[in-house]
Amino acid sequence: KKWKDWYITYKQYENLKREYQNTAQQIASLSEDIRKEKVPRFDTFLHVYQKLPYYISRLNQEYIQRELTNNKSFFDSIRGKSLDLQQRLVCVTDDDYTLVVAGAGSGKTVTIEAKVKYLVEKKGVDPKEILVTSFTDKTVDELKERIGNININVDVTTFHALGLKIIKDNDYTVISVADDNKLKHEIDNYILK
């Protein structure tokens, strides 16, 4: 693949920056005469390295525009609904993590459903590599149902259940959640006295 065919994630940017940092420092320490007259590509390298965020942003914007254009009909009909531009941007922005925050009734659930469908069907992502989390059991149940309706099996869980699973998978300590009475007792005995 060529660079223009990728969305360059923040993690990839950091890796590129780190990988070429020593080279950039060595080239920058050379005299200007050597950089410009003897090896003009050195100055080109330094320019690109120093402007890496700009070039990556530009490449990513071009990638996003291509994905929006190439997948217009896909996003025009997600369960009979046409996603708006913001929802489509959430779907095609291909960073390592996606956080969707929006008001009630704004289409978060259909956007997440579309993102999962897009990643699996259009980008070839293995469903086992996708984790969908939310704060409430109600939202998790709705997401499981919606994503299940498109026949894609991904992990959908609350943040709390995920945290508990991680603790259980990595520690043998029994975890229990304190009830409201315990919390009130602790506040009364230690904070208010």
Side-chain angles (χ1 to χ4, degrees), residues 73-83 110 113-114 117:
S73 62
F74 177 84
F75 294 122
D76 281 347
S77 183
I78 301 293
R79 281 189 307 103
K81 296 179 182 176
S82 179
L83 299 185
V110 74
E113 175 187 355
K117 184 176 172 80

Side-chain angles (χ1 to χ4, degrees), residues 84 86-87 99-112 139 142:
D84 66 23
Q86 292 298 322
Q87 291 169 315
L99 175 65
V100 178
V101 180
S106 61
K108 292 181 297 295
T109 304
V110 74
T111 302
I112 293 168
T139 305
E142 185 178 357

Side-chain angles (χ1 to χ4, degrees), residues 82-135:
S82 179
L83 299 185
D84 66 23
L85 179 60
Q86 292 298 322
Q87 291 169 315
R88 291 172 193 229
L89 288 172
V90 166
C91 293
V92 301
T93 300
D94 195 20
D95 222 313
D96 297 318
Y97 309 99
T98 303
L99 175 65
V100 178
V101 180
S106 61
K108 292 181 297 295
T109 304
V110 74
T111 302
I112 293 168
E113 175 187 355
K115 174 90 177 190
V116 169
K117 184 176 172 80
Y118 169 79
L119 288 173
V120 172
E121 293 180 8
K122 298 294 185 175
K123 304 309 280 182
V125 174
D126 183 345
K128 293 179 199 142
E129 297 295 317
I130 299 172
L131 172 65
V132 178
T133 58
S134 184
F135 287 105

